[in-house]
Amino acid sequence: MTIELSKAYDPTDVEPRWYAEWIRAGHFAAQDTGDASNAYSIAIPPPNVTGSLHMGHALFCTIQDSLVRAARMRGRNALWQPGVDHAGIATEVVVSRLLALEGKSRKDLGREAFLQRVWQWKEQSGGRITEQLRKMGASPDWSRERFTMDAQCSAAVREAFVRLYEEGLIYRGERLVNWSVAAQTVISDLEVDRAEEDGELFSFAYPFADGSGEIVVATTRPETILGDTAVAVHPDDPRYKDAIGKQLKCPFHDRTIPLIADSILVDMAFGTGAVKVTPAHDFNDYETGKRHGLPFINVLNLDGTINAEGSRFAGLPRFEARKAVKKALNELGLARGSKQHRLAIAREARTNDVLEPMLLPQWYVHAKPLADKALAAVREGKTTIEPVEWVKTWEHWLTNIQDWCISRQLWWGHQIPAWYCAKCGAVTVARETPTACCKCGHDALEQDSDVLDTWFSSALWPFSTLGWPEKTKALETFYPTTVMETGYDILFFWVARMMMFGIHFMGEVPFKRVLLHGMVCDERGEKMSKVKGNVIDPLHLVYGATLDTVVEAANPPGTPADNALKKFKQCYPSYAEKTEGFPAFGADAVRFYLATNPPQAKRINLQLRQLERAKNFANKLWNATRFALPYLEPLRADGADGSLPPASAMSPADRWILSRLALTAQEVSDGLEGFRLDECTTAVRRFFWDELCDWYLEITKAVLNGTDEVAKDVTRRVLANCIESSMRLLHPFMPFVTEELWQKLPDAVRSKRRDGRPAEHLCVASFAEASEFARDEAAEREIAFVQGVITAARNIRGELGIKPKDAMTLILRTDDAAQRALLDRYEAQVKSLTIAHGLTVEAHGPKPKGVGYAVVDGAEVIVPLAGLIDPKAEAARLEKEIAKGKKDLEKCSKVLSNENFIARAAPEAVQSARDEQAALVARLSKLEEALVVVRDAES
RNA sequence: GCGGGCAUAACUCAGCGGUAGAGUGCGACCUUCACACGGUCGAAGUCACAGGUUCAAAUCCUGUUGCCCGCACCA
């Protein structure tokens, strides 16, 4: 029964079949053995429950799944811990928008009902991203899927909060924070998006209270005048020196504020050199206010309207108030003009709302002591950060760390386990809901309405998912995790915080190695964003999509189609001419392509051509296997031996390809160890395509179609093992196509599991290791010689324009017995690969006329086809070769004529230079003789 | 302003002390019995610039120029 494969590989036919199989077999399940030595674990960076798969997810999925699959095949107890986080702000924004469609607000529903709605929404659409990860071939242990809001993770959050509070590492304090009016919550400094925008710098005058003139200041936020509590100048500024200490009259209030001197805040050269100070609404002014003991006047309500402090402007929304204040100053005759001004505006990422610095009480984590331990862990090598470039950034940030504001004024999240006593005002922080105030014992307690920052629960992820605070077998087995792999953009958000909490709560780092990847960008290197219209949905690449669909997904909803298309083509120039959208590249191709990017690349410019190449590679695997399968049929016989034959039975080509395979397996192994998936994929691609397909397969055709049954058996087994091993080496990167093809191979050649048990699927078969195959340098040299001869003959053909249909014969001359033996042995292959009709192997002799000529390792390749060869062209070709040789020889001789080189360089370097020189001299003399003969024929 | 990074073939990027690499693209040829999602051959780089260390530098050091990314930013 012969297995037939279609002519071209179709991922849409193959990919959907295997995932369910793997799941059914339970291959992704990790075991809580308690044995940490054989464990390999990666905690997934939990995607937002609101999200859908983007290229960044596809990238981490590829990298992590490749590492995990390789570990699993190597017999490690591999756990890829899956899950999603609750994404406080993002989710609340999404659900609030849905409510808005019904004409309702969050507050209309109330906390309980709103949370119900969020859970409902989460149940409906929260599973989307994990479904999408399955499409990418991800192999986490789904039975352990966690959610940051589930009971286990929530218990961990509460435990962590209470412990930190009891240890004095969490406190409540009033400070200036970034308030989002739109999201109705504070956000952390890290989540602030700053971008330059055009604004207006408005100038106005503060009159001195004593009537002795005025001082002019400027502002981009005139409404903050309502909260000014000083004007500052530089102490050394001669213009204002004498006025320091005087009082200034507030335009809208019946009060005066002082003119103070501050060298930190004030830049004499900017504007008038005088700055208004609003300590409750500006970060620099806040510091200034603390330095000078100024009052802090908050003028904003949480909804962004001006509060009672704003006198007649009270109740106006902030931007209305800005206009009104300007108008009023004009009317008072205090306006002193305005000008266009570029300034960096802070916005909240999800709502794009302008953030307002506000003085509000919030909960903080005292970060310094935690950060010091995280720093030490990396310095001591307990955790390594790769690529190493990031270590400096890590150091810089952690040494200058600010306390972490962990409270958010949201409903969706872990409510802070702190209760305030209505009677004495004391705070009770507890694991279980308390019934009495810890101080006065009264029972009138109200829980803090805020929730914790999502990153707080994410920071516990590597151990909360394993059951902490319980002492579980899972923790014992998999903590510390082996690798943390994520984007460099969340080094601070997440990696640093996991390190701090991991060390603090577990007493051990949460991961031994950190691997940071870059950002997937468009073809021009621009970060993907809907605003730019360059977002590509990875699943559109996997399954294919029409151009309309692709372009629609690239832009925000509602973008006009023609405009969207134009933007898209600008971002992806290689698609400028196309009309048909994406073909189904398949998950394997997307993965393979993503894996070819080195980890130190900060930007990964999505190159659709490269992706196409990856798809073609899958097709190559398919077709090479399709070609080989019929020849492997005898291995399906009962009791057939599919193992590698002894070296003594193998031909040089057999030993050569296995030697290359050994090298490749080593490169893949090294690449995995060093997180250089680019090197892994390059190595296997080269092996399979350039070596196995282009040479070995071609060489074996003559044998497999021949009559020598013993040779056929040997070749068949070598070929089968090469293909089988290639599938094993590639499986972590391209799980679907390799599984499909591996399943089609005869049983006798399919590898077992690492522990010797049979492997029903490739995904649990033992990984291919270099030790399975022998390096054979002699065979490598021999085949390199045969390849050299073939390439030289092809070169003559190509350069001289000898068409394939032109009958060509070859004369190969060498006095070296080993070379002659090889050429005899591979006569059929040399002929077929050069399309030569005849071939003679003989000893060196006088140069014949009218021939194409080349020298390979001292052997001569002669193409005696007088009728076909243009002597002029051949002369030109030889001259080019000679010029190249002379240049090399010159370099070589120059080095060797340097006495210092002979004396100081490594002896091997000197020897190899001498060998090189000798070979070049010999080669050149042969080529020059040949040139003379050609010129003879010409004249 | 402070810190970090990058400048290598037309493009995207490897290499990081011993004679310049890959893929794509480009030019020519080939539908030869797995694959045109293929095959063969070819052209193409003074490795940003200037110094220095070394027998030897794309590779190490210093400076210059040009880009990029963080952090802090002018009221």
Side-chain angles (χ1 to χ4, degrees), chain A residues 372-387:
Chain A
D372 286 344
K373 287 188 184 163
L375 275 170
V378 171
R379 285 184 190 143
E380 290 161 13
K382 287 177 186 154
T383 294
T384 57
I385 297 177
E386 298 163 73

Side-chain angles (χ1 to χ4, degrees), chain A residues 15 19 22 53-55 57-63 65-66 69 80 129-140 142 537-543 586-592 594 732-736:
Chain A
E15 291 188 356
Y19 203 85
W22 294 328
L53 199 76
H54 58 59
M55 290 306 300
H57 295 131
L59 178 61
F60 88 58
C61 175
T62 297
I63 297 171
D65 195 49
S66 298
R69 280 181 182 268
W80 190 15
I129 193 148
T130 56
E131 270 317 307
Q132 292 174 317
L133 285 171
R134 288 169 169 89
K135 307 284 189 242
M136 291 296 299
S139 68
W142 292 112
D537 180 340
L539 294 182
H540 286 166
L541 296 173
V542 172
Y543 295 112
D588 285 329
V590 173
R591 291 170 60 119
F592 192 80
L594 288 173
F733 311 100
M734 311 181 93
F736 297 107

Side-chain angles (χ1 to χ4, degrees), chain A residues 666-692:
Chain A
Q666 189 58 52
E667 287 172 322
V668 171
S669 182
D670 292 347
L672 285 167
E673 178 53 32
F675 296 146
R676 291 298 305 262
L677 303 192
D678 57 319
E679 290 180 351
C680 298
T681 50
T682 304
V684 199
R685 198 214 61 85
R686 185 212 63 226
F687 172 75
F688 197 87
W689 204 319
D690 303 346
E691 293 167 352
L692 187 67

Side-chain angles (χ1 to χ4, degrees), chain A residues 146-147 149-157 463-469:
Chain A
R146 294 286 178 267
F147 177 47
M149 288 281 282
D150 65 20
Q152 183 179 311
C153 290
S154 299
V157 165
F463 45 101
S464 66
T465 51
L466 295 172
W468 188 87

